Amino acid sequence: FFAEEKLVASLASMSTSERIKAIQKMPETMKKKREIRNKVLKEITKKSRHHCTQLSCCTECLQGAVVRFRRFGNSLSEHFHQLWLWHRVLKIIGAEFGTSVLSYFIFLKWLITLNIFSFLINFGFLAVPQFVAAEPNDLSFKGLELITGAGYFQQTVLYYGFYTNATISKIENGPSYHMQLAYIFTVGIYFVICFLILLFSMAKSFWRNFINPQTYSGNASKLLCTWDFNITSEEAVKLKQKNLSTQIKEDLAEVSREVLSYSVRERVVRIGIHLVSWVASLGTAVAACAGVYFLSINNLKLFVKGRKNDLETQAAMLVLPIVTSLLNTSIPFFYSWLGHLERFQIPGQQIYVTIIRNITLKISIVGILCYYWLNVVAASESQCWETLIGQDVYRLVLVDFIFCLLGSFFGEFLQRIIGTTVCVSRGLPEFDIGRNVLDLIYAQTLTWIGILFSPLLPAIQMISFSIVFYVKMVSLRMNCQPPRKVWRTAQMTTYFILLLFFPSFVGVLSVVGVTVWRLKPSEECGPFRGLPSMYAAVAEWVKTLETYTASKWVVWIYHNLITSELFFFILSALVLIITYLYWQIKEGRKTMTKFLRKQIINVRNDKMFLLKQLRELQRAKHSPSAP
Amino acid sequence: MGNKQTVFTAEQLDAYQDCTFFTRKEILRLFHRYRDLAPQLVPLDYTDRPAVTLPYELIGSMPELKDNPFRQRIAEVFSADGDGNMTLDDFLDMFSVLSEMAPRDLKAYYAFKIYDFNNDDYICKSDLEKTVNKLTRNELTPEEVRLVCEKVIYEADADNDGKLSLEDFQRMIVRAPDFLSTFHIRI
């Protein structure tokens, strides 16, 4: 009873949201929680009545207003959630295939939301003002533009070249909209927001799924903590039970297999096979990059030569994206075949090695394309090199989308036909989560690179991701079976977000950085025409601000914080020191945990020893007294 | 927005919202799911708190639970009298703990109770054997089951008393980051 009084008192002294969270977290039945809640509310009204009797009317009104506001906020968020139809779809996928496949679809949903957000920002701040000051479009619209992105679209808000460098104002001496500053600040602030979103997602993911690699021996947790309550179809449950029993039998048998060691000759042969396959995979990646580079140099000649808008030039423009996507889709199959050839000791290693090879391939292709764009296209004599890059990215994104759909058809549909009619031992294909997630990350990287040159690209990516979602879902339910091996979902989700952040986002930031700081914008088009670099717009704006006394603080911040190296040096030193301190705290806590664990065992042993002594003493006391 | 529903009073809905992880709409949706199991037993008007209990057979026939090997234990743990018959409060409680917003400690507490078949606050060897048999559909031999249970106790038991306490279980959960997403039923 006293414990409950203490609980009620402590709950009454918390703020509203903390109190609600604490009540929700209590491991009691609903009846008990309701009783405690009512007691707490009574206590609160008693306290408030005690303290401010004069202001009782005001505080009651305020409290009533707060409650009404909370209810309004809740119902608003409910309506917002109802807009998404994902709930039922995700439930079906989770029910039949489990949490690991579900994680792919949740990641895809997250990317769609990110693209919607990007589109809204770019549309609101860049496209809408541009519509006000738009020049008329004198090109005709033929259907082929949807795929090539050239032609009619060149004179629309889709590309950088269309944006004006003037100050837009509809009314004379009214509020004006400075397009140059708007463009660079919108793109800059968008990337900062993306950086923060990715950072927080990564931190949350690490915090939730704290991975302690040394203690994941896993038998106990594999048994008790990994049964997937999401699965609700009978065949999936039976399959999962069968897989679990097979795995347990394998684990029990593996104890004897670990002792097996290989002879020297066998080990050399194995290392040789590994080396050869690594050389083969890196060689294919290098060959693919060289092919893409030479093809793109030829591609550029097409543009600079002439501007005939006939069918031949249009079709020739599509060769580069088609070849790139073809290489991107077919080489991963080659890598998985290589992975099957090398017999890895631990089956999990095969997945990781294949994923690493795929990542290397994709990074090198994107890298070579960026090199081509920034070094060759930007220095060429074309009229508007930014629009050229925008069109290239548009075509790449679109063709990649088409190849993704085709890959789903060939990869899963055909494999099912083969697995059920020709080669029945293979069975239905499994959904390859790793390869599909890497495709998504590649597509998102292209979108991010293209945002500077084609601000409305996220809209296209948004539509294509939504279509991919439904196509993959249909293909999954028709053609695939649930995964056989236990896929460490939480760990892999963290690694996916990490992949999205490090190679992908940081790479994009460096490309955008080089473009903004070092490249000379084209003379005749775009919001930065005539300036020595895109960043010069900001420098000029700060110079004009110096004349106003009211904004001297902005100028001071710019000169002493943003452009001074000393500030960033001090900032980095501080971050390193704080990281080191946290690391030392973590090490200290680890030692403490080990020590406390030993103490638990010792206390238990002491207790058993004392109990034994007590029993012996009692026996000794009773036996002599028996007559 | 607006009090168009007549099932609960505003105060009852507020109380449910504060005690579970659901919003108003979800609570009403769950009420209708509960009612659909037995429309003739469950009244449409809950403002006077009727004492309606649905038998376990109806709860266990829900599509979310009917193929789950642990459905009986889940119903027993969340029912007030421990035999699987649930009131609306128990029903909401169950799906609230199994929803994705529930924190890890709360889920660990209830998962421990589910696997504790004899309700003695410890997962002993017999509890583990029953769990393994349910997880593998009785496909392992008794010898294999015994080996597995011994391995699990050896790995997870920190105070060497031959059974798992709640603390041992919680420590195990920390090493299984998937637990939050697998101990989850979407409704």
Side-chain angles (χ1 to χ4, degrees):
Chain A
F1 179 66
F2 288 117
E4 201 176 290
E5 289 261 317
K6 260 175 64 180
L7 178 66
V8 168
S10 69
L11 281 175
S13 58
M14 295 185 194
S15 72
T16 317
S17 55
E18 273 177 29
R19 187 175 60 239
I20 294 178
K21 275 204 199 104
I23 295 182
Q24 280 173 341
K25 271 201 284 201
M26 285 196 318
E28 306 279 351
T29 60
M30 179 80 73
K31 216 168 74 158
K32 196 95 204 322
K33 281 200 263 201
R34 231 205 314 253
E35 274 173 27
I36 294 187
R37 177 184 177 264
N38 290 339
K39 281 199 196 136
V40 169
L41 285 177
K42 242 186 279 184
E43 180 80 22
I44 292 183
T45 43
K46 210 168 36 169
K47 263 208 292 194
S48 60
R49 219 178 293 145
H50 238 279
H51 287 287
C52 11
T53 39
Q54 303 115 319
L55 307 168
S56 61
C57 183
C58 286
T59 44
E60 266 180 41
C61 291
L62 204 66
Q63 271 182 9
V66 164
V67 166
R68 272 198 297 275
F69 183 69
R70 230 166 31 93
R71 278 202 202 144
F72 174 73
N74 279 340
S75 48
L76 205 67
S77 67
E78 271 175 29
H79 279 280
F80 187 65
H81 275 286
Q82 223 187 6
L83 290 176
W84 302 126
L85 310 161
W86 313 118
H87 180 91
R88 201 174 146 267
V89 163
L90 289 177
K91 180 173 170 179
I92 296 175
I93 298 175
E96 291 181 26
F97 292 93
T99 327
S100 49
V101 173
L102 192 62
S103 68
Y104 166 80
F105 286 93
I106 293 183
F107 186 64
L108 181 51
K109 184 185 94 161
W110 187 77
L111 281 179
I112 294 179
T113 327
L114 187 67
N115 276 309
I116 292 180
F117 164 73
S118 327
F119 166 66
L120 287 175
I121 284 194
N122 282 348
F123 189 71
F125 287 108
L126 296 179
V128 165
Q130 184 59 43
F131 279 137
V132 169
E135 295 155 12
N137 194 345
D138 48 357
L139 296 172
S140 60
F141 181 79
K142 300 179 213 118
L144 206 57
E145 269 92 359
L146 284 175
I147 300 189
T148 58
Y152 178 75
F153 281 150
Q154 252 175 324
Q155 299 278 22
T156 57
V157 279
L158 189 58
Y159 293 119
Y160 167 101
F162 184 64
Y163 289 83
T164 169
N165 71 336
T167 315
I168 308 169
S169 54
K170 262 223 130 145
I171 321 161
E172 282 295 314
N173 294 331
S176 63
Y177 194 80
H178 201 181
M179 199 59 185
Q180 268 184 355
L181 287 181
Y183 203 93
I184 200 169
F185 278 139
T186 309
V187 172
I189 294 179
Y190 165 72
F191 275 116
V192 167
I193 296 180
C194 268
F195 174 79
L196 290 173
I197 291 177
L198 278 177
L199 198 67
F200 284 131
S201 301
M202 229 172 39
K204 194 168 81 158
S205 191
F206 266 128
W207 184 73
R208 257 182 131 202
N209 309 319
F210 175 67
I211 305 155
N212 204 348
Q214 67 196 105
T215 53
Y216 196 79
S217 57
N219 278 320
S221 45
K222 225 192 283 185
L223 194 70
L224 286 179
C225 308
T226 56
W227 175 257
D228 201 343
F229 282 67
N230 264 313
I231 299 185
T232 55
S233 82
E234 202 183 327
E235 308 97 44
V237 166
K238 276 199 208 140
L239 193 69
K240 195 136 181 127
Q241 284 171 323
K242 191 158 162 310
N243 289 339
L244 197 59
S245 60
T246 320
Q247 234 187 337
I248 293 181
K249 287 196 204 215
E250 272 177 15
D251 274 344
L252 287 176
E254 213 175 62
V255 180
S256 46
R257 225 195 296 161
E258 269 171 30
V259 193
L260 215 69
S261 65
Y262 292 103
S263 67
V264 180
R265 187 168 170 275
E266 280 188 14
R267 238 181 284 166
V268 168
V269 167
R270 289 189 87 91
I271 293 181
I273 295 183
H274 284 311
L275 258 168
V276 166
S277 39
W278 270 106
V279 166
S281 51
L282 288 176
T284 12
V286 167
C289 289
V292 164
Y293 184 68
F294 284 118
L295 212 67
S296 32
I297 301 275
N298 279 336
N299 197 32
L300 186 61
K301 291 209 194 95
L302 265 176
F303 285 108
V304 187
K305 228 194 292 192
R307 301 184 109 237
K308 309 181 285 236
N309 276 335
D310 58 347
L311 218 59
E312 238 185 58
T313 10
Q314 306 265 18
M317 278 197 259
L318 287 176
V319 171
L320 172 65
I322 289 183
V323 170
T324 316
S325 296
L326 201 66
L327 288 172
N328 246 335
T329 328
S330 48
I331 296 189
F333 285 113
F334 171 64
Y335 285 159
S336 12
W337 177 74
L338 265 184
H340 276 297
L341 272 191
E342 320 169 60
R343 279 157 288 137
F344 285 96
Q345 274 183 314
I346 309 170
Q349 263 184 358
Q350 183 185 345
I351 302 181
Y352 287 123
V353 166
T354 317
I355 288 185
I356 290 178
R357 287 181 184 155
N358 283 335
I359 294 173
T360 328
L361 173 74
K362 289 195 159 52
I363 290 182
S364 20
I365 288 190
V366 172
I368 208 83
L369 281 171
C370 287
Y371 175 77
Y372 156 69
W373 282 326
L374 294 183
N375 278 358
V376 179
V377 177
S380 69
E381 315 117 16
S382 54
Q383 254 188 344
C384 198
W385 59 268
E386 292 97 344
T387 307
L388 279 184
I389 299 183
Q391 286 173 355
D392 266 344
V393 179
Y394 175 90
R395 282 190 288 265
L396 272 172
V397 162
L398 211 58
V399 173
D400 186 63
F401 162 64
I402 295 177
F403 268 82
C404 182
L405 296 180
L406 282 179
S408 188
F409 175 75
F410 283 110
E412 285 149 18
F413 180 64
L414 279 188
Q415 274 197 28
R416 171 175 82 114
I417 303 262
I418 295 178
T420 46
T421 50
V422 176
C423 193
V424 193
S425 58
R426 288 192 58 170
L428 293 173
E430 279 180 23
F431 187 75
D432 194 345
I433 303 174
R435 190 167 51 85
N436 281 303
V437 169
L438 284 180
D439 283 340
L440 288 182
I441 295 181
Y442 172 75
Q444 185 60 36
T445 313
L446 284 179
T447 314
W448 271 331
I449 293 179
I451 279 190
L452 185 61
F453 306 108
S454 166
L456 294 187
L457 202 58
I460 297 158
Q461 194 65 284
M462 180 175 94
I463 300 174
S464 84
F465 273 160
S466 313
I467 299 179
V468 164
F469 187 97
Y470 280 105
V471 165
K472 288 276 175 195
M473 186 188 76
V474 165
S475 163
L476 180 76
R477 296 181 68 196
M478 270 183 31
N479 302 330
C480 297
Q481 60 163 327
R484 268 179 285 233
K485 295 228 172 59
V486 171
W487 174 272
R488 296 196 207 157
T489 316
Q491 242 181 352
M492 292 314 283
T493 318
T494 318
Y495 284 141
F496 290 153
I497 299 189
L498 206 71
L499 264 182
L500 192 64
F501 188 74
F502 275 114
S504 170
F505 189 71
V506 172
V508 167
L509 278 184
S510 10
V511 167
V512 168
V514 167
T515 316
V516 165
W517 259 279
R518 287 190 173 227
L519 294 181
K520 187 162 163 35
S522 37
E523 297 282 332
E524 296 157 14
C525 65
F528 300 106
R529 52 193 105 168
L531 294 173
S533 76
M534 292 191 199
Y535 188 70
V538 176
E540 273 185 19
W541 176 63
V542 171
K543 241 187 272 182
T544 60
L545 274 187
E546 271 173 19
T547 52
Y548 300 110
T549 44
S551 43
K552 274 242 161 18
W553 58 276
V554 179
V555 181
W556 185 87
I557 291 181
Y558 178 76
H559 281 303
N560 292 326
L561 295 184
I562 300 186
T563 44
S564 87
E565 294 85 10
L566 184 66
F567 174 68
F568 284 112
F569 177 72
I570 296 178
L571 199 65
S572 324
L574 263 176
V575 166
L576 282 173
I577 291 175
I578 295 179
T579 314
Y580 177 71
L581 282 173
Y582 270 118
W583 182 46
Q584 287 302 316
I585 294 178
K586 182 194 84 136
E587 293 286 313
R589 292 222 174 120
K590 247 204 285 194
T591 339
M592 195 65 170
T593 325
K594 256 190 256 181
F595 173 69
L596 285 172
R597 218 173 273 176
K598 274 203 208 107
Q599 231 188 3
I600 294 179
I601 298 183
N602 286 339
V603 164
R604 181 83 205 174
N605 287 339
D606 287 344
K607 191 159 119 181
M608 310 236 328
F609 173 73
L610 286 171
L611 277 175
K612 211 165 69 167
Q613 293 280 52
L614 191 66
R615 256 181 252 134
E616 279 182 18
L617 272 173
Q618 278 183 337
R619 223 179 295 146
K621 212 161 98 177
H622 282 277
S623 43
S625 61
Chain B
M1 279 186 296
N3 286 335
K4 284 190 277 212
Q5 55 87 20
T6 50
V7 180
F8 300 107
T9 63
E11 204 192 37
Q12 276 177 318
L13 263 183
D14 271 342
Y16 277 131
Q17 247 185 318
D18 282 350
C19 297
T20 66
F21 294 99
F22 292 126
T23 60
R24 279 166 51 113
K25 262 212 167 52
E26 288 166 341
I27 294 173
L28 288 169
R29 190 162 53 90
L30 278 167
F31 168 75
H32 286 293
R33 286 298 304 271
Y34 184 72
R35 186 160 186 276
D36 287 340
L37 294 173
Q40 70 279 20
L41 286 176
V42 179
L44 264 175
D45 189 353
Y46 249 76
T47 48
D48 51 354
R49 293 172 211 272
V52 175
T53 311
L54 291 186
Y56 163 69
E57 289 72 31
L58 287 175
I59 306 280
S61 67
M62 285 182 71
E64 285 86 359
L65 290 176
K66 73 172 169 39
D67 289 310
N68 195 321
F70 294 103
R71 59 186 175 281
Q72 180 146 21
R73 277 303 297 164
I74 297 176
E76 282 172 13
V77 162
F78 285 102
S79 64
D81 45 3
D83 57 5
N85 306 324
M86 302 179 85
T87 64
L88 179 65
D89 280 356
D90 302 330
F91 188 78
L92 284 172
D93 216 4
M94 172 170 75
F95 283 109
S96 167
V97 169
L98 286 165
S99 75
E100 59 191 348
M101 279 115 16
R104 201 206 314 256
D105 289 333
L106 189 64
K107 288 194 190 219
Y109 177 81
Y110 279 103
F112 182 77
K113 283 178 81 166
I114 289 176
Y115 293 135
D116 181 13
F117 282 78
N118 50 12
N119 287 325
D120 61 350
D121 290 336
Y122 284 103
I123 297 183
C124 56
K125 214 138 171 253
S126 65
D127 294 333
L128 270 179
E129 282 174 6
K130 287 205 195 92
T131 310
V132 172
N133 278 324
K134 276 218 192 310
L135 281 174
T136 59
R137 217 182 185 86
N138 297 322
E139 268 195 29
L140 299 179
T141 67
E143 180 63 27
E144 286 170 338
V145 171
R146 193 184 59 83
L147 272 172
V148 170
C149 294
E150 267 177 21
K151 262 180 137 187
V152 169
I153 292 192
Y154 175 71
E155 239 184 59
D157 192 12
D159 49 3
N160 281 335
D161 56 357
K163 40 194 182 172
L164 301 180
S165 63
L166 179 60
E167 289 76 31
D168 296 329
F169 190 73
Q170 277 173 334
R171 209 175 310 123
M172 205 168 38
I173 297 276
V174 167
R175 301 182 210 160
D178 286 327
F179 177 70
L180 268 177
S181 49
T182 54
F183 194 70
H184 162 45
I185 293 185
R186 206 180 274 269
I187 181 157

